PDB file of all heavy atoms in Angstrom:
ATOM      1  N   ASP P 272     122.586 -11.046 144.334  1.00 98.00           N
ATOM      2  CA  ASP P 272     123.010 -12.408 144.678  1.00 98.00           C
ATOM      3  C   ASP P 272     122.587 -12.834 146.078  1.00 98.00           C
ATOM      4  O   ASP P 272     122.344 -14.010 146.321  1.00 98.00           O
ATOM      5  CB  ASP P 272     124.538 -12.508 144.588  1.00 98.00           C
ATOM      6  CG  ASP P 272     125.034 -12.273 143.167  1.00 98.00           C
ATOM      7  OD1 ASP P 272     124.261 -12.519 142.225  1.00 98.00           O
ATOM      8  OD2 ASP P 272     126.180 -11.821 143.016  1.00 98.00           O
ATOM      9  N   GLN P 273     122.560 -11.883 147.018  1.00 98.00           N
ATOM     10  CA  GLN P 273     122.305 -12.271 148.405  1.00 98.00           C
ATOM     11  C   GLN P 273     120.813 -12.472 148.638  1.00 98.00           C
ATOM     12  O   GLN P 273     119.974 -11.763 148.060  1.00 98.00           O
ATOM     13  CB  GLN P 273     122.841 -11.192 149.352  1.00 98.00           C
ATOM     14  CG  GLN P 273     124.353 -11.065 149.273  1.00 98.00           C
ATOM     15  CD  GLN P 273     125.039 -11.217 150.608  1.00 98.00           C
ATOM     16  OE1 GLN P 273     124.696 -10.532 151.570  1.00 98.00           O
ATOM     17  NE2 GLN P 273     126.008 -12.112 150.672  1.00 98.00           N
ATOM     18  N   VAL P 274     120.513 -13.468 149.479  1.00 98.00           N
ATOM     19  CA  VAL P 274     119.123 -13.747 149.832  1.00 98.00           C
ATOM     20  C   VAL P 274     118.809 -12.880 151.057  1.00 98.00           C
ATOM     21  O   VAL P 274     119.221 -13.188 152.169  1.00 98.00           O
ATOM     22  CB  VAL P 274     118.916 -15.246 150.137  1.00 98.00           C
ATOM     23  CG1 VAL P 274     117.467 -15.533 150.487  1.00 98.00           C
ATOM     24  CG2 VAL P 274     119.362 -16.095 148.947  1.00 98.00           C
ATOM     25  N   THR P 275     118.137 -11.756 150.828  1.00 97.00           N
ATOM     26  CA  THR P 275     117.952 -10.770 151.901  1.00 97.00           C
ATOM     27  C   THR P 275     116.511 -10.702 152.410  1.00 97.00           C
ATOM     28  O   THR P 275     116.222  -9.921 153.306  1.00 97.00           O
ATOM     29  CB  THR P 275     118.345  -9.358 151.391  1.00 97.00           C
ATOM     30  OG1 THR P 275     117.609  -9.115 150.194  1.00 97.00           O
ATOM     31  CG2 THR P 275     119.829  -9.255 151.110  1.00 97.00           C
ATOM     32  N   ALA P 276     115.620 -11.512 151.863  1.00 97.00           N
ATOM     33  CA  ALA P 276     114.209 -11.463 152.310  1.00 97.00           C
ATOM     34  C   ALA P 276     114.135 -11.823 153.794  1.00 97.00           C
ATOM     35  O   ALA P 276     114.955 -12.600 154.298  1.00 97.00           O
ATOM     36  CB  ALA P 276     113.387 -12.445 151.477  1.00 97.00           C
ATOM     37  N   THR P 277     113.147 -11.257 154.486  1.00 98.00           N
ATOM     38  CA  THR P 277     112.987 -11.536 155.923  1.00 98.00           C
ATOM     39  C   THR P 277     112.593 -12.999 156.127  1.00 98.00           C
ATOM     40  O   THR P 277     112.112 -13.661 155.211  1.00 98.00           O
ATOM     41  CB  THR P 277     111.865 -10.671 156.517  1.00 98.00           C
ATOM     42  OG1 THR P 277     110.655 -11.000 155.819  1.00 98.00           O
ATOM     43  CG2 THR P 277     112.167  -9.185 156.375  1.00 98.00           C
ATOM     44  N   LYS P 278     112.752 -13.438 157.385  1.00 97.00           N
ATOM     45  CA  LYS P 278     112.386 -14.820 157.732  1.00 97.00           C
ATOM     46  C   LYS P 278     110.924 -15.091 157.382  1.00 97.00           C
ATOM     47  O   LYS P 278     110.576 -16.150 156.843  1.00 97.00           O
ATOM     48  CB  LYS P 278     112.600 -14.973 159.243  1.00 97.00           C
ATOM     49  CG  LYS P 278     112.893 -16.354 159.686  1.00 97.00           C
ATOM     50  CD  LYS P 278     113.288 -16.371 161.161  1.00 97.00           C
ATOM     51  CE  LYS P 278     112.846 -17.705 161.730  1.00 97.00           C
ATOM     52  NZ  LYS P 278     112.399 -17.648 163.094  1.00 97.00           N
ATOM     53  N   GLU P 279     110.079 -14.103 157.678  1.00 97.00           N
ATOM     54  CA  GLU P 279     108.635 -14.273 157.419  1.00 97.00           C
ATOM     55  C   GLU P 279     108.367 -14.408 155.915  1.00 97.00           C
ATOM     56  O   GLU P 279     107.604 -15.245 155.485  1.00 97.00           O
ATOM     57  CB  GLU P 279     107.829 -13.071 157.958  1.00 97.00           C
ATOM     58  CG  GLU P 279     107.794 -12.934 159.475  1.00 97.00           C
ATOM     59  CD  GLU P 279     109.124 -12.483 160.080  1.00 97.00           C
ATOM     60  OE1 GLU P 279     109.885 -11.746 159.404  1.00 97.00           O
ATOM     61  OE2 GLU P 279     109.418 -12.885 161.226  1.00 97.00           O
ATOM     62  N   LYS P 280     109.043 -13.549 155.158  1.00 97.00           N
ATOM     63  CA  LYS P 280     108.856 -13.600 153.690  1.00 97.00           C
ATOM     64  C   LYS P 280     109.341 -14.943 153.145  1.00 97.00           C
ATOM     65  O   LYS P 280     108.661 -15.589 152.341  1.00 97.00           O
ATOM     66  CB  LYS P 280     109.658 -12.479 153.015  1.00 97.00           C
ATOM     67  CG  LYS P 280     108.933 -11.164 152.946  1.00 97.00           C
ATOM     68  CD  LYS P 280     108.751 -10.788 151.475  1.00 97.00           C
ATOM     69  CE  LYS P 280     107.791  -9.760 151.248  1.00 97.00           C
ATOM     70  NZ  LYS P 280     106.918  -9.037 151.227  1.00 97.00           N
ATOM     71  N   LEU P 281     110.511 -15.395 153.627  1.00 97.00           N
ATOM     72  CA  LEU P 281     111.057 -16.664 153.132  1.00 97.00           C
ATOM     73  C   LEU P 281     110.107 -17.808 153.456  1.00 97.00           C
ATOM     74  O   LEU P 281     109.925 -18.730 152.673  1.00 97.00           O
ATOM     75  CB  LEU P 281     112.438 -16.934 153.755  1.00 97.00           C
ATOM     76  CG  LEU P 281     113.556 -16.009 153.273  1.00 97.00           C
ATOM     77  CD1 LEU P 281     114.847 -16.265 154.041  1.00 97.00           C
ATOM     78  CD2 LEU P 281     113.805 -16.190 151.775  1.00 97.00           C
ATOM     79  N   HIS P 282     109.479 -17.713 154.636  1.00 95.00           N
ATOM     80  CA  HIS P 282     108.526 -18.746 155.032  1.00 95.00           C
ATOM     81  C   HIS P 282     107.344 -18.757 154.059  1.00 95.00           C
ATOM     82  O   HIS P 282     106.947 -19.815 153.567  1.00 95.00           O
ATOM     83  CB  HIS P 282     108.069 -18.501 156.475  1.00 95.00           C
ATOM     84  CG  HIS P 282     107.148 -19.561 156.963  1.00 95.00           C
ATOM     85  ND1 HIS P 282     107.590 -20.823 157.296  1.00 95.00           N
ATOM     86  CD2 HIS P 282     105.807 -19.572 157.148  1.00 95.00           C
ATOM     87  CE1 HIS P 282     106.558 -21.559 157.654  1.00 95.00           C
ATOM     88  NE2 HIS P 282     105.463 -20.833 157.581  1.00 95.00           N
ATOM     89  N   THR P 283     106.821 -17.560 153.767  1.00 95.00           N
ATOM     90  CA  THR P 283     105.690 -17.491 152.817  1.00 95.00           C
ATOM     91  C   THR P 283     106.102 -18.022 151.445  1.00 95.00           C
ATOM     92  O   THR P 283     105.362 -18.774 150.814  1.00 95.00           O
ATOM     93  CB  THR P 283     105.228 -16.022 152.639  1.00 95.00           C
ATOM     94  OG1 THR P 283     105.100 -15.455 153.925  1.00 95.00           O
ATOM     95  CG2 THR P 283     103.934 -15.916 151.882  1.00 95.00           C
ATOM     96  N   TYR P 284     107.299 -17.641 151.003  1.00 95.00           N
ATOM     97  CA  TYR P 284     107.750 -18.099 149.687  1.00 95.00           C
ATOM     98  C   TYR P 284     107.764 -19.620 149.634  1.00 95.00           C
ATOM     99  O   TYR P 284     107.290 -20.239 148.694  1.00 95.00           O
ATOM    100  CB  TYR P 284     109.170 -17.600 149.379  1.00 95.00           C
ATOM    101  CG  TYR P 284     109.316 -16.115 149.183  1.00 95.00           C
ATOM    102  CD1 TYR P 284     110.573 -15.534 149.075  1.00 95.00           C
ATOM    103  CD2 TYR P 284     108.201 -15.279 149.091  1.00 95.00           C
ATOM    104  CE1 TYR P 284     110.736 -14.177 148.879  1.00 95.00           C
ATOM    105  CE2 TYR P 284     108.356 -13.915 148.896  1.00 95.00           C
ATOM    106  CZ  TYR P 284     109.618 -13.373 148.800  1.00 95.00           C
ATOM    107  OH  TYR P 284     109.788 -12.046 148.608  1.00 95.00           O
ATOM    108  N   SER P 285     108.354 -20.225 150.677  1.00 89.00           N
ATOM    109  CA  SER P 285     108.478 -21.677 150.587  1.00 89.00           C
ATOM    110  C   SER P 285     107.124 -22.352 150.817  1.00 89.00           C
ATOM    111  O   SER P 285     106.854 -23.410 150.246  1.00 89.00           O
ATOM    112  CB  SER P 285     109.616 -22.194 151.474  1.00 89.00           C
ATOM    113  OG  SER P 285     109.162 -22.665 152.667  1.00 89.00           O
ATOM    114  N   GLU P 286     106.238 -21.699 151.609  1.00 92.00           N
ATOM    115  CA  GLU P 286     104.854 -22.201 151.727  1.00 92.00           C
ATOM    116  C   GLU P 286     104.201 -22.273 150.351  1.00 92.00           C
ATOM    117  O   GLU P 286     103.471 -23.212 150.043  1.00 92.00           O
ATOM    118  CB  GLU P 286     104.013 -21.236 152.577  1.00 92.00           C
ATOM    119  CG  GLU P 286     104.241 -21.352 154.069  1.00 92.00           C
ATOM    120  CD  GLU P 286     103.478 -22.510 154.650  1.00 92.00           C
ATOM    121  OE1 GLU P 286     102.242 -22.432 154.690  1.00 92.00           O
ATOM    122  OE2 GLU P 286     104.120 -23.500 155.043  1.00 92.00           O
ATOM    123  N   ASN P 287     104.451 -21.245 149.530  1.00 95.00           N
ATOM    124  CA  ASN P 287     103.829 -21.182 148.198  1.00 95.00           C
ATOM    125  C   ASN P 287     104.047 -22.459 147.399  1.00 95.00           C
ATOM    126  O   ASN P 287     103.110 -22.993 146.799  1.00 95.00           O
ATOM    127  CB  ASN P 287     104.406 -20.013 147.380  1.00 95.00           C
ATOM    128  CG  ASN P 287     103.839 -18.673 147.798  1.00 95.00           C
ATOM    129  OD1 ASN P 287     102.983 -18.619 148.673  1.00 95.00           O
ATOM    130  ND2 ASN P 287     104.323 -17.603 147.192  1.00 95.00           N
ATOM    131  N   SER P 288     105.295 -22.953 147.399  1.00 96.00           N
ATOM    132  CA  SER P 288     105.554 -24.157 146.580  1.00 96.00           C
ATOM    133  C   SER P 288     104.836 -25.360 147.182  1.00 96.00           C
ATOM    134  O   SER P 288     104.352 -26.228 146.456  1.00 96.00           O
ATOM    135  CB  SER P 288     107.055 -24.409 146.423  1.00 96.00           C
ATOM    136  OG  SER P 288     107.676 -24.442 147.671  1.00 96.00           O
ATOM    137  N   GLY P 289     104.746 -25.404 148.517  1.00 96.00           N
ATOM    138  CA  GLY P 289     104.004 -26.492 149.167  1.00 96.00           C
ATOM    139  C   GLY P 289     102.524 -26.445 148.812  1.00 96.00           C
ATOM    140  O   GLY P 289     101.914 -27.472 148.491  1.00 96.00           O
TER     141      GLY P 289
END
Side-chain angles (χ1 to χ4, degrees):
D272 296 334
Q273 295 235 307
V274 181
T275 53
T277 60
K278 207 172 150 215
E279 292 72 30
K280 274 242 165 322
L281 290 175
H282 183 74
T283 312
Y284 292 171
S285 98
E286 282 280 291
N287 283 358
S288 53

